[in-house]
Amino acid sequence: MSMRIFVTGATGYIGGSIAARLVARGHEVVGLTRSAESAARLRETGVTPVVGSLVALGTLAEVASGVDAVINAANSDDPFVVEAILPVLEGTGKSFIHTSGSSIIADRGGGERSDLVFNEDTPFVALPERQGRAAVERLVLSYGQRGVRSVVVRPTLIYGQGAGLHKSSIQVPRMLDLALAKGKALHIGKGENVWSNVHIDDVVDLYLLALEMAPPGSLFFAENGECSMRTIAEAISRLLGHGGRTESWPMEEALKDWGISAQATFASNSRVSAQKARAMLGWNPKGPGLVEDVEHGSYRALLVAEGKLPA
């Protein structure tokens, strides 16, 4: 049955990919965007734009009150957006799917490997930089007891070409740009720290399944394999013709160039299992593996299109 769905982050990587699939499935999608220019581009994709920002809380509440479901894919750490929308949905039985991320359980590995693998029921204490995200998750999930079909999805490291206006993810393109700038593929420390990962198309599949059948107050990781940061750097090295050779990037230099994300993301471990999504929702990820996509898939195609690699 066709639904009217409000997507925050509709011009972004995750939200745009979700919006594109929803439109293709025949749903009416309302997307939040910040400018008239991006609104025009969004309209061309079949999404009805609403010009506003994440601080236009009255607008968010008004739009949410007139739709069948809300997918929040704009900012995992923003409590004000969920505080504006959830009370409007209370008691309606409508769906609210919130985008979090597996960095909520990330450590400070410094490039060293951890053997800890988390599922949705594994106890943990979020590091200070992720405690706000954890609090937002708790708020969203609590509305499962207040007449909202609230769901939290925690994607891992996402890769692949997006289907919306914004085509690129964050982590792999950033490592690729670094290798192009430095003339060599780098990892922080030993690069033995491991992140679970998932293709963007499989992430979208999970959101649509959650929209269709997830119980109120449910939480899902999204992963379909894992790689160390060194393995990703080696794949980038081969892509660029450096034969898989990599070098260690000192943490001090990485922090200077990349800020806290160097420590919190690129030197950390975030290893999880998405068995719950497979078992409860029938999620069956099929996307190419991360290394394959770097060396032979969307990332190679991107560099060829930009003239940075020969066809």
Side-chain angles (χ1 to χ4, degrees):
M1 184 175 64
S2 177
M3 300 173 65
R4 192 165 192 257
I5 302 167
F6 179 32
V7 178
T8 68
T11 58
Y13 178 60
I14 299 175
S17 298
I18 294 168
R21 184 80 65 83
L22 290 170
V23 169
R25 293 279 183 92
H27 297 290
E28 180 185 354
V29 179
V30 179
L32 184 69
T33 183
R34 285 181 285 188
S35 70
E37 179 184 359
S38 58
R41 295 176 63 210
L42 202 57
R43 189 176 288 108
E44 291 174 357
T45 70
V47 175
T48 301
V50 172
V51 177
S53 70
L54 295 178
V55 298
L57 303 181
T59 299
L60 297 177
E62 181 181 358
V63 176
S65 68
V67 299
D68 302 306
V70 177
I71 297 177
N72 183 30
N75 185 341
S76 301
D77 304 321
D78 190 334
F80 301 103
V81 170
V82 298
E83 288 174 353
I85 294 175
L86 285 170
V88 173
L89 303 181
E90 186 171 357
T92 65
K94 295 179 179 180
S95 298
F96 181 91
I97 303 180
H98 175 72
T99 305
S100 182
S102 73
S103 64
I104 199 168
I105 56 91
D107 61 13
R108 292 195 180 137
E112 300 285 343
R113 177 187 175 94
S114 170
D115 292 327
L116 291 176
V117 179
F118 293 76
N119 62 38
E120 293 83 356
D121 298 320
T122 305
F124 72 97
V125 177
L127 291 172
E129 61 268 24
R130 301 300 184 196
Q131 287 182 7
R133 177 172 296 189
V136 172
E137 281 194 2
R138 289 193 296 271
L139 176 61
V140 172
L141 295 174
S142 73
Y143 270 79
Q145 304 297 319
R146 299 170 67 174
V148 179
R149 196 159 67 89
S150 60
V151 180
V152 171
V153 178
R154 291 175 178 164
T156 51
L157 187 157
I158 310 177
Y159 60 92
Q161 180 171 305
L165 296 180
H166 191 80
K167 305 295 185 183
S168 295
S169 60
I170 298 173
Q171 292 94 338
V172 174
R174 203 168 184 186
M175 292 179 71
L176 184 54
D177 288 344
L178 178 69
L180 288 166
K182 301 285 189 180
K184 53 193 174 185
L186 301 175
H187 47 76
I188 297 174
K190 294 179 181 178
E192 293 177 354
N193 55 302
V194 177
W195 268 66
S196 299
N197 52 66
V198 62
H199 193 277
I200 182 62
D201 291 345
D202 293 324
V203 173
V204 175
D205 286 345
L206 179 53
Y207 274 80
L208 267 62
L209 287 168
L211 183 64
E212 180 182 347
M213 65 179 71
S218 53
L219 166 68
F220 300 99
F221 279 116
E223 63 78 26
N224 190 35
E226 61 179 24
C227 288
S228 70
M229 289 295 173
R230 181 167 186 161
T231 297
I232 300 171
E234 289 169 346
I236 289 172
S237 174
R238 290 190 292 270
L239 171 65
L240 298 180
H242 302 321
R245 295 183 299 277
T246 66
E247 291 187 17
S248 177
W249 199 21
M251 178 64 80
E252 294 77 10
E253 184 178 340
L255 285 168
K256 181 179 178 181
D257 286 2
W258 280 359
I260 194 61
S261 66
Q263 184 178 68
T265 300
F266 292 93
S268 65
N269 293 273
S270 180
R271 305 180 64 189
V272 306
S273 166
Q275 181 57 35
K276 180 179 177 182
R278 291 171 169 85
M280 183 178 291
L281 303 180
W283 183 54
N284 182 28
K286 308 180 189 67
L290 191 156
V291 169
E292 177 187 351
D293 201 37
V294 168
E295 293 190 53
H296 308 292
S298 65
Y299 295 97
R300 174 174 289 278
L302 175 63
L303 292 188
V304 169
E306 294 176 346
K308 296 175 182 177
L309 280 180

